[in-house]
Amino acid sequence: MDDVRILTVGDCAVSVEFGQEISLEINHKVMALKMVLEREPVAGIVEMVPTYCSLLIQYDPMELRYGQLKDKLNALVGQLDKVEMPPKQVVEIPVAYGGEYGPDLGEVAAAHNMSEEEVISLHSEPEYPIYMLGFVAGFPYLGGMNKAIATPRKKSPRLKIEAGSVGIAGEQTGIYSVESPGGWQIIGRTPLKLYDVNRQEPVLLKAGQYIKFKPITQEEFRAMENEH
Amino acid sequence: MSIKVINSGLMTTIQDNGRMGYQASGMQVSGDMDRYSASIANALVGNDGDAALLECTYLGPELEASEDVLVAVTGGEPKVLVDNQPAHAYESLILHKGQHLKVASMEEGTRAYIAIDGGIDVPLVLGSHSTNLKLGIGGADGSKLYNGEVLNTGEPSELAKSILSGQYHVRHTDHEFMQHHHLWHENHPGDSHEIRIVLGPQDDYFTPEAVKALDGAVYTISNESDRMGYRLEGEVIHRATQKDMITDGIVFGSIQVPPNGQPIIMMADHQTTGGYPKIATVISADLPLLAQCSPGSKITFKVISVEEAQDIYISFRKALQEQIALMDEEAAEEWPDRRPGVRNYNLKIDGQLFRVSVEQIK
């Protein structure tokens, strides 16, 4: 584990960085360290934020000093290969592609000389790993999109994109968890709420899970939306 | 018990220690910008440190008491009025039924905190009362205060009841103590506030000269500064590499440097993650002072080690505890006289405080 660096983030946090590239191998190490620290909590650690390559660990220096934490972490990172990870979890996300829910599907298809059906097929085929959540509550950063449907962002961003909108920005795909402005190419929408403050678990997805998009019709979308 | 908002002020929100535990889901922490002043305000009215209170910016609100209530105003140097008469900040104030409390302006600083005994009674959202304007959650319906709103307050503490009934004297903070810790400090125009920082996590993205120059560098807080972040103007911080950084976690105090080289300090409402390299982090003990700095003020960075920063943090936290313990100690002194039939009063004559015990003689 020569690549592991423990970076100082002020007096109340450190960032354990496992490399500097977006890869599942590195992301798994981030998740593994988080899991170890959840299974065997270290007194003084307050909260952890996993991202692509790093685990941010916030702690209280009244209970745990920088040197002590660094020693503990150095001892732990060498043993992450032995950590047993939970089985792969795939969350199915129903998506109504095109029409009023995916106004940019035609533009994306045209950009690649494909039919709309081909774009839907390529987009709904993979199981996308969730590397991290961030930007706003419940927003998943996904990997693994087929490069054949990679499309630049819109030249002029929309002022309002509905929550649940599924979009493409360059080689990335994602789902808007809350309504916000944005420049992504919107190809569909899910009736699931990725973020709902009134739910027991306000955020639907977790880093480390996978998602699979399942195409549904506009009628099915409306029926599911009414259920929620 | 309740408080009526006669005038909401410029930007008044309900805050507490913040919404911890959901950052991995992308949820911001929010919470009070100046934790020190917020804690002192709560202690002055006998509340727990995490009770919900009001954070106001520049022009505070005007509030009306529905019953006798104990309040305290802290943070910077706020101009406090009770029924249009000047009243003291950093002291518990008895607001009688129908009286108006107004935080008219800030003589120094940016944010005032108004604590009300029992705390403001709004529902907990994901473990916190803090208002998150972006998501529209917390506080009162996820929005800032508005005119005519009625805020309910919780059950007052025994201490608040004793002060309200005149059995206890009002609480006050030790101004010398506050000044010593450089938190409530007279500011001279043109002066620069020293803000101590610890290098990292991405100082290696910048040229060694830029990192060296950061120690002692003076920056001006720009007008584009709010609870999310402070944009700074000053010397451009040059990158050593054009390599893109991979998005990672952010803390309150992270100093991000976007491509234009002008740093942004992330404040209480910051996003949980970000893709700009962070050259350094403001030490926790200096965040309250930074929260009181307004657009146009100058700050000077001073680089210290993480060990030093933690020593300072620990003494800072202890100082806060001491300050609160001091208030309790005073309450336990011989004065006030607790014999039955004896009433105790604080009298301020020409700025000097007198303690008076009065016993009725038949």
Side-chain angles (χ1 to χ4, degrees):
Chain A
M1 295 295 246
D2 300 337
D3 299 340
V4 183
R5 296 200 300 163
I6 298 174
L7 306 173
T8 308
V9 184
D11 49 31
C12 291
V14 296
S15 176
V16 185
E17 190 194 77
F18 292 92
Q20 287 194 52
E21 60 172 72
I22 297 177
S23 82
L24 275 178
E25 194 200 338
I26 289 176
N27 192 243
H28 281 163
K29 288 177 187 165
V30 175
M31 296 303 158
L33 179 59
K34 180 168 179 271
M35 191 163 294
V36 169
L37 290 169
E38 279 165 353
R39 282 185 195 150
E40 288 161 49
V42 173
I45 291 183
V46 180
E47 196 165 355
M48 292 181 280
V49 187
T51 49
Y52 284 109
C53 317
S54 311
L55 183 67
L56 180 77
I57 301 173
Q58 294 176 316
Y59 64 102
D60 182 355
M62 296 284 271
E63 286 187 62
L64 183 63
R65 293 294 297 252
Y66 173 71
Q68 295 171 305
L69 177 60
K70 207 171 169 177
D71 290 346
K72 276 184 205 290
L73 291 171
N74 273 323
L76 283 176
V77 291
Q79 300 166 23
L80 292 181
D81 295 339
K82 296 178 203 143
V83 177
E84 204 176 315
M85 298 295 283
K88 186 173 171 180
Q89 261 188 308
V90 182
V91 183
E92 193 176 79
I93 305 283
V95 178
Y97 285 97
E100 63 168 302
Y101 301 122
D104 300 326
L105 180 62
E107 195 178 318
V108 170
H112 301 287
N113 288 318
M114 286 182 194
S115 66
E116 294 192 357
E117 288 69 31
E118 282 174 286
V119 174
I120 295 171
S121 165
L122 289 176
H123 189 262
S124 59
E125 192 185 14
E127 288 174 352
Y128 295 97
I130 303 174
Y131 281 108
M132 56 177 275
L133 285 96
F135 171 53
V136 290
F139 182 89
Y141 284 81
L142 305 174
M145 193 180 74
N146 192 321
K147 286 192 169 74
I149 51 171
T151 316
R153 286 163 203 257
K154 293 193 81 68
K155 288 208 178 69
S156 140
R158 286 191 173 89
L159 290 175
K160 181 183 160 185
I161 291 177
E162 297 286 343
S165 293
V166 175
I168 292 175
E171 292 183 10
Q172 252 187 310
T173 185
I175 314 167
Y176 280 80
S177 53
V178 297
E179 184 192 299
S180 64
W184 290 39
Q185 304 278 357
I186 304 303
I187 59 168
R189 197 191 302 172
T190 175
L192 296 187
K193 284 182 175 156
L194 267 57
Y195 161 79
D196 181 357
V197 71
N198 298 313
R199 206 163 46 197
Q200 179 79 29
E201 284 286 333
V203 167
L204 184 71
L205 302 168
K206 283 191 176 72
Q209 293 174 326
Y210 287 74
I211 68 169
K212 175 104 169 68
F213 294 114
K214 182 192 166 208
I216 57 168
T217 64
Q218 316 268 314
E219 290 71 34
E220 284 172 311
F221 180 98
R222 281 186 276 272
M224 288 180 78
E225 195 180 38
N226 290 335
E227 277 172 36
H228 291 285
Chain B
M1 218 113 67
S2 65
I3 285 265
K4 189 175 178 189
V5 180
I6 303 299
N7 189 314
S8 64
L10 194 61
M11 168 70 184
T12 307
T13 57
I14 296 169
Q15 299 293 342
D16 63 10
N17 289 355
R19 193 164 282 109
M20 296 295 285
Y22 297 90
Q23 290 177 86
S25 301
M27 182 103 50
Q28 304 121 286
V29 175
S30 307
D32 33 53
M33 290 270 279
D34 172 356
R35 174 68 36 86
Y36 193 94
S37 297
S39 303
I40 293 288
N42 270 326
L44 283 166
V45 298
N47 287 347
D48 289 337
D50 60 352
L53 43 48
L54 298 177
E55 178 183 284
C56 44
T57 315
Y58 303 119
L59 292 168
E62 183 174 351
L63 308 169
E64 185 184 283
S66 72
E67 301 288 336
D68 289 3
V69 70
L70 196 67
V71 298
V73 184
T74 63
E77 220 178 310
K79 190 176 168 194
V80 184
L81 300 171
V82 172
D83 280 354
N84 285 320
Q85 295 302 309
H88 286 276
Y90 298 93
E91 240 181 59
S92 42
L93 303 170
I94 296 172
L95 203 61
H96 292 289
K97 182 180 175 177
Q99 278 192 316
H100 285 210
L101 172 78
K102 191 174 175 184
V103 177
S105 60
M106 299 296 287
E107 309 267 345
E108 297 292 345
T110 303
R111 279 160 249 274
Y113 292 84
I114 307 173
I116 302 164
D117 76 60
I120 297 166
D121 186 19
V122 286
L124 276 174
V125 178
L126 307 177
S128 167
H129 302 102
S130 287
T131 310
N132 178 325
L133 293 175
K134 195 170 180 183
L135 289 177
I137 60 166
D141 304 321
S143 75
K144 59 180 189 175
L145 247 59
Y146 55 88
N147 298 350
E149 185 173 14
V150 174
L151 301 170
N152 292 318
T153 58
E155 180 63 25
S157 64
E158 288 306 312
L159 180 103
K161 286 182 198 164
S162 304
I163 296 175
L164 283 170
S165 67
Q167 289 174 327
Y168 266 23
H169 59 97
V170 296
R171 299 188 134 197
H172 60 92
T173 47
D174 182 339
H175 285 199
E176 258 179 54
F177 186 96
M178 301 290 279
Q179 290 209 350
H180 173 72
H181 289 280
H182 192 65
L183 293 150
W184 178 82
H185 202 273
E186 208 171 316
N187 176 14
H188 305 285
D191 266 4
S192 183
H193 295 278
E194 183 181 87
I195 297 292
R196 291 163 292 184
I197 58 176
V198 173
L199 291 177
Q202 282 100 23
D203 46 319
D204 57 349
Y205 272 70
F206 303 91
T207 63
E209 296 75 31
V211 174
K212 196 160 172 261
L214 196 61
D215 193 15
V218 180
Y219 282 91
T220 305
I221 297 171
S222 87
N223 287 325
E224 286 173 77
S225 297
D226 56 18
R227 281 182 45 90
M228 270 185 80
Y230 280 11
R231 285 174 185 271
L232 306 182
E233 287 163 354
E235 197 68 38
V236 167
I237 300 175
H238 291 285
R239 291 272 295 257
T241 164
Q242 290 314 307
K243 183 178 67 172
D244 269 340
M245 205 204 100
I246 297 172
T247 296
D248 72 355
I250 287 176
V251 298
F252 186 177
S254 287
I255 306 173
Q256 283 192 336
V257 185
N260 70 3
Q262 298 287 298
I264 304 171
I265 309 181
M266 308 313 286
M267 301 299 280
D269 277 345
H270 68 85
Q271 287 181 193
T272 53
T273 59
Y276 294 132
K278 297 164 281 291
I279 192 168
T281 315
V282 174
I283 72 165
S284 303
D286 283 351
L287 291 174
L289 174 63
L290 187 60
Q292 291 300 345
C293 290
S294 50
S297 15
K298 286 186 170 59
I299 56 174
T300 306
F301 288 132
K302 184 186 176 193
V303 175
I304 63 170
S305 72
V306 62
E307 288 82 8
E308 275 178 275
Q310 294 196 331
D311 288 342
I312 294 166
Y313 174 81
I314 289 166
S315 64
F316 170 78
R317 283 267 296 262
K318 284 187 177 153
L320 180 61
Q321 288 165 0
E322 274 166 29
Q323 178 65 198
I324 292 167
L326 196 71
M327 292 183 204
D328 291 336
E329 222 172 87
E330 281 184 351
E333 275 176 17
E334 279 177 28
W335 200 91
D337 189 335
R338 291 206 183 78
R339 284 176 299 153
V342 177
R343 306 296 296 266
N344 300 281
Y345 299 97
N346 270 312
L347 282 182
K348 207 164 230 177
I349 300 169
D350 288 338
Q352 237 188 311
L353 191 69
F354 294 90
R355 293 165 166 182
V356 184
S357 301
V358 182
E359 189 178 3
Q360 194 179 343
I361 305 165
K362 285 215 172 125

